[in-house]
Amino acid sequence: MKATGIVVEHNPFHNGHFYHIKESRNKTAADIIIAVMSGNFLQRGEPSLVDKWTRSEMALKAGVDLVIELPYVFATAQASDFARGSIALLEALGCDAFCFGSEEGTIEPFTNTYEVITSQQQTYQKLIKQYMKLGFSYPKSLNQSYAEITKDNNLRLVDLSKPNNILGYHYVEAANQINARMKPFTIQRIIANYHDEVDESQSIASATGIRKAIFEEGSIDALANFMPQTSLDLLLKWKESVGVFGSWPQFWPRLRFTIIRSSLKELASYAEVTEGIENLIYEAAIKSETFEEFMTHVKSKRYTWTRIQRMLTHIYTGFTWDALKSHPNPTYLRVLGMTHEGQKYLNQKKKSLSLPLVSRAAATKDSLLDLDIRATDLYQLGLQSSKIERPIGLDFRKTPIII
């Protein structure tokens, strides 16, 4: 069975994701589509709209055959580490190819760019440090440095100012660094860009636009044009059974409590908190009644919204610099769900998998998995929903979804 891997968040699953799955299957002649999916906290440093099992079910009902959880350490990391963890899992699963969506749409510019950056790595890293010393954010420093080392190059290179291109580049980089046997592919992102708002005249909207519509307009039915009916039904079911969706404004009371009860030394110990920003975070939490107000106090030219949110995610979950350094690589394959075809694939491959397969959290002792379990518990508590009867221990009670 020929398997193609994709890296996803599906927050929530929409028609663009359906297109990605369909085109990945066609372009790579895959029998099986395997998705490595973020858990309950995401790469942009925010809680997921609905939990990882609901998002897994959305994917499985729309063409994915197997969903594997990307551990918290990698799911909430900067792009290079997010990609490194994802690609390592897909390689461990025996995928023949991986396919990502990009603004570029063709793979050659990504491989060209990797070769150029690799050949000038020392100069590139030196330039990044210089720009950061000037007060530029990390993404801006990358872009400026990239522009300098490629200005006289005649190869067709990828535009690394585009969000999906950036992730795509890091997937290609990660695959090269581990000498992956998988072949890289990319498909063109169509109709809606990453940050676009919902356009009623289109059939595809960005996940960002869909989430904004849910929070600002409150109507899920109005999103019927932008997602498969199965995804819409699961969103409606979540709203009825849980009552609220995951977001920082929803989590703010607990996050604010966590910040204020911490010492400055404790705040500085959490992953990605650097350069004394813990002082600003503490002061902003004291005087901010809402999450939006807090962010206006903390946001700056040097720190992007995403970077700050990742700091907050780690503060909220208690994830420290020490824990980050202790978990450089994935150590297991956590199954969230599968179709019967996905189950068949695992049965065929289980003896050749390079990482242990985890289907029951209670049967596995792993400090990396412990971080995921804690993140799930804190996600459930952050929803603050009276409709959730047993928020703690869900990872132990849930078994993989089979569609």
Side-chain angles (χ1 to χ4, degrees):
M1 301 175 79
K2 187 176 181 181
T4 291
I6 59 175
V7 183
V8 302
E9 291 189 319
H10 291 167
N11 189 43
F13 190 101
H14 57 67
N15 289 344
H17 298 133
F18 183 80
Y19 176 81
H20 178 201
I21 293 166
K22 183 182 72 172
E23 289 300 303
S24 295
R25 189 183 292 273
N26 291 339
K27 193 161 192 172
T28 64
D31 301 305
I32 294 291
I33 296 293
I34 299 177
V36 165
M37 191 188 77
S38 301
N40 293 324
F41 292 90
L42 308 177
Q43 201 268 330
R44 286 180 58 79
E46 56 193 354
S48 57
L49 190 72
V50 296
D51 71 18
K52 58 192 179 186
W53 291 284
T54 302
R55 287 160 36 239
S56 294
E57 189 173 350
M58 289 178 180
L60 293 167
K61 287 182 173 178
V64 169
D65 297 291
L66 177 63
V67 181
I68 300 293
E69 181 173 6
L70 180 62
Y72 172 93
V73 173
F74 308 99
T76 59
Q78 62 178 351
S80 58
D81 292 330
F82 176 90
R84 183 168 52 82
S86 302
I87 293 298
L89 290 177
L90 292 176
E91 180 73 3
L93 282 156
C95 289
D96 300 279
F98 65 93
C99 187
F100 57 91
S102 66
E103 293 86 358
E104 179 63 42
T106 55
I107 200 66
E108 185 181 10
F110 288 95
T111 55
N112 288 344
T113 298
Y114 173 74
E115 289 172 7
V116 170
I117 289 179
T118 303
S119 68
Q120 299 190 55
Q121 189 63 233
Q122 287 186 328
T123 303
Y124 185 52
Q125 294 301 328
K126 184 178 179 181
L127 286 168
I128 291 169
K129 290 176 182 178
Q130 287 176 358
Y131 280 113
M132 290 190 72
K133 285 181 181 178
L134 293 173
F136 289 94
S137 68
Y138 182 65
K140 184 68 174 176
S141 298
L142 287 178
N143 281 332
Q144 293 289 107
S145 304
Y146 177 63
E148 283 205 35
I149 67 169
T150 59
K151 61 185 177 183
D152 297 321
N153 199 292
N154 295 320
L155 290 172
R156 184 180 170 189
L157 303 176
V158 71
D159 180 355
L160 291 184
S161 68
K162 306 289 186 182
N164 293 106
N165 283 352
I166 294 170
L167 269 178
Y169 167 75
H170 286 297
Y171 295 142
V172 171
E173 177 187 56
N176 277 281
Q177 288 175 344
I178 65 170
N179 294 316
R181 60 180 290 275
M182 295 183 293
K183 186 177 179 180
F185 292 84
T186 188
I187 60 167
Q188 181 82 49
R189 188 182 178 111
I190 59 170
I191 302 177
N193 291 317
Y194 190 87
H195 296 292
D196 285 357
E197 296 190 11
V198 167
D199 181 345
E200 297 292 342
S201 68
Q202 306 286 3
S203 61
I204 291 178
S206 70
T208 303
I210 289 172
R211 292 194 301 275
K212 186 175 181 181
I214 289 173
F215 288 120
E216 291 186 357
E217 299 170 21
S219 173
I220 296 172
D221 291 318
L223 300 171
N225 290 340
F226 308 113
M227 58 180 62
Q229 187 62 44
T230 49
S231 294
L232 197 70
D233 290 344
L234 285 164
L235 280 184
L236 290 167
K237 181 182 177 181
W238 175 275
K239 187 174 182 180
E240 182 180 342
S241 61
V242 178
V244 295
F245 293 102
S247 69
W248 275 130
Q250 176 68 31
F251 281 44
W252 174 239
R254 291 184 187 275
L255 173 60
R256 188 186 190 196
F257 169 83
T258 303
I259 294 170
I260 292 173
R261 77 180 295 275
S262 301
S263 68
L264 292 176
K265 184 178 179 181
E266 285 173 322
L267 290 176
S269 73
Y270 295 121
E272 296 214 35
V273 178
T274 58
E275 300 173 320
I277 197 174
E278 65 272 10
N279 296 281
L280 183 57
I281 288 173
Y282 184 85
E283 291 165 9
I286 291 286
K287 58 189 177 187
S288 301
E289 295 298 323
T290 67
F291 179 72
E292 291 79 3
E293 185 183 352
F294 169 85
M295 288 299 285
T296 61
H297 287 304
V298 180
K299 175 75 173 66
S300 68
K301 178 183 175 183
R302 186 170 183 81
Y303 295 102
T304 63
W305 187 283
T306 297
R307 175 80 185 279
I308 294 166
Q309 285 194 149
R310 284 205 297 267
M311 294 179 196
L312 299 178
T313 298
H314 300 323
I315 291 170
Y316 180 76
T317 60
F319 181 63
T320 63
W321 282 109
D322 287 343
L324 175 62
K325 293 170 186 174
S326 299
H327 299 94
N329 298 299
T331 51
Y332 57 83
L333 300 163
R334 171 86 186 276
V335 180
L336 292 178
M338 54 194 152
T339 63
H340 290 292
E341 285 298 295
Q343 196 171 26
K344 181 180 174 183
Y345 178 83
L346 283 182
N347 287 335
Q348 287 184 3
K349 288 281 189 177
K350 59 186 177 184
K351 291 184 179 179
S352 62
L353 299 175
S354 59
L355 290 174
L357 201 62
V358 174
S359 56
R360 290 180 58 249
T364 304
K365 295 295 182 184
D366 190 300
S367 58
L368 188 64
L369 181 60
D370 290 342
L371 294 170
D372 286 335
I373 293 167
R374 183 172 68 187
T376 295
D377 289 343
L378 290 167
Y379 174 82
Q380 293 291 111
L381 290 171
L383 292 170
Q384 304 173 70
S385 173
S386 59
K387 294 185 178 183
I388 301 175
E389 293 182 5
R390 298 168 67 194
I392 300 298
L394 197 58
D395 266 310
F396 295 111
R397 299 194 298 274
K398 281 279 190 180
T399 56
I401 299 162
I402 300 178
I403 300 295

